[in-house]
Amino acid sequence: NNASQNSVDKMIQAQLAKETPITKSPSAKGLTQYNDLIEIAKSFIGVPYVFGGNTPSGFDCSGFISYVYNEAGIKNSRRSSLNYFLKDTTTVKNPVPGDLVFFKNTYIETVSHMGIYIGNGEMIHAGSKGIEITKLSYKYWNDRQVAFKRFNNVN
């Protein structure tokens, strides 16, 4: 409904307003980790979607993120998409492949989905059919996109 949707949008705007957008690309080390993580992520294409899943036998969206970033040496604790959005990430002005992209109102009314931006307007994520690459321009994702962000421990 509209009232709860407005409160979701206000929460998102308030969070983004608190952050100073990152304007620079990661360092050479960060970009190397990003290249590694995209290769690792692509190696899981076709792995099934499993709610709460965080292993190569099945992933949900944030379980996939946690797993592949940790495998690439970017340490993080498993959280929900909303908690990653609120606690561990900062918005980026010019996203680079390896940065995160967040969405709202997918299966619940809040920040509820995330993927890895891979460039060319595409992301890799744990969709309902499993790990896949999809275009951010598809109406479903375009309508729900919230922000591009970066883990705070990517230098």
Side-chain angles (χ1 to χ4, degrees):
N1 71 31
N2 279 349
S4 62
Q5 190 44 61
N6 286 343
S7 69
V8 166
D9 289 341
K10 281 196 178 76
M11 176 276 292
I12 290 167
Q13 286 159 1
Q15 179 61 34
L16 294 175
K18 276 193 272 191
E19 301 175 14
T20 303
I22 299 167
T23 55
K24 59 186 201 305
S25 283
S27 66
K29 176 184 183 250
L31 291 172
T32 299
Q33 288 176 313
Y34 268 8
N35 287 337
D36 290 349
L37 99 85
I38 289 169
E39 290 309 304
I40 293 164
K42 285 179 174 175
S43 75
F44 295 120
I45 287 173
V47 167
Y49 180 89
V50 174
F51 189 81
N54 59 354
T55 71
S57 61
F59 289 113
D60 70 9
C61 67
S62 56
F64 177 62
I65 301 289
S66 178
Y67 189 90
V68 297
Y69 275 82
N70 276 308
E71 286 290 300
I74 300 166
K75 297 296 175 217
N76 69 87
S77 303
R78 169 65 196 268
R79 298 191 195 267
S80 67
S81 297
L82 178 60
N83 277 328
Y84 280 133
F85 178 80
L86 292 173
K87 297 190 167 109
D88 299 299
T89 59
T90 301
T91 185
V92 284
K93 217 174 178 70
N94 303 301
V96 299
D99 282 334
L100 299 165
V101 57
F102 286 87
F103 302 89
K104 65 182 181 182
N105 308 333
T106 54
Y107 73 102
I108 49 170
E109 255 193 14
T110 186
V111 174
S112 52
H113 191 72
M114 61 196 301
I116 302 168
Y117 180 63
I118 58 169
N120 300 321
E122 293 181 321
M123 68 167 168
I124 187 167
H125 71 130
S128 55
K129 296 182 187 76
I131 304 301
E132 63 173 12
I133 291 174
T134 193
K135 292 186 184 313
L136 295 173
S137 59
Y138 287 153
K139 183 168 172 39
Y140 182 86
W141 298 116
N142 193 46
D143 288 350
R144 291 166 175 80
Q145 189 171 330
V146 171
F148 287 104
K149 300 190 80 178
R150 186 174 297 159
F151 274 120
N152 296 328
N153 61 345
V154 171
N155 300 316

